Amino acid sequence: MLVLSGWSSRAACTSGNAEALFADDPVQRAATAVCADCPVRTECLAYALDNRIHHGVWGGMTERERRALLRSRPAVPSWQRLLDTEHAADTPLPRVS
């Protein structure tokens, strides 16, 4: 696995089938279950949003969900900062339907 940052080695997906996280959309939705209890879910999602990663499941969100979130909040300068603040306040991670 490619090590992106110190958090990535603690990700729940490192011990499973990481290819499912980069499969087609229906498989990706099922793969998000791996992220549910991941200890670095916030860091992973922030990394994908801040770096505009368009492929795969990151932080429990599919590529479609992340694109919709980015479109709905285009003025966010740092997702890492925003998610850290919300996580510290025990606010659930964003979901887009």
Side-chain angles (χ1 to χ4, degrees):
M1 174 179 190
L2 172 67
V3 176
L4 304 169
S5 183
W7 58 262
S8 65
S9 64
R10 299 187 324 271
C13 60
T14 60
S15 62
N17 179 10
E19 276 112 35
L21 299 171
F22 296 94
D24 292 331
D25 193 43
V27 176
Q28 280 187 359
R29 275 192 283 269
T32 61
V34 171
C35 305
D37 294 320
C38 182
V40 294
R41 182 174 171 209
T42 302
E43 293 90 337
C44 181
L45 179 57
Y47 180 86
L49 292 168
D50 282 337
N51 291 288
R52 303 301 194 259
I53 297 175
H54 299 290
H55 189 65
V57 173
W58 291 80
M61 294 183 86
T62 66
E63 42 199 74
R64 283 185 177 172
E65 292 170 326
R66 288 193 316 279
R67 280 194 306 266
L69 181 59
L70 288 167
R71 277 192 309 270
S72 72
R73 298 184 67 185
V76 174
S78 169
W79 284 95
Q80 182 68 56
R81 192 171 327 127
L82 176 68
L83 293 176
D84 285 347
T85 302
E86 290 180 0
H87 186 70
D90 208 21
T91 305
L93 292 177
R95 296 304 298 169
V96 175
S97 32

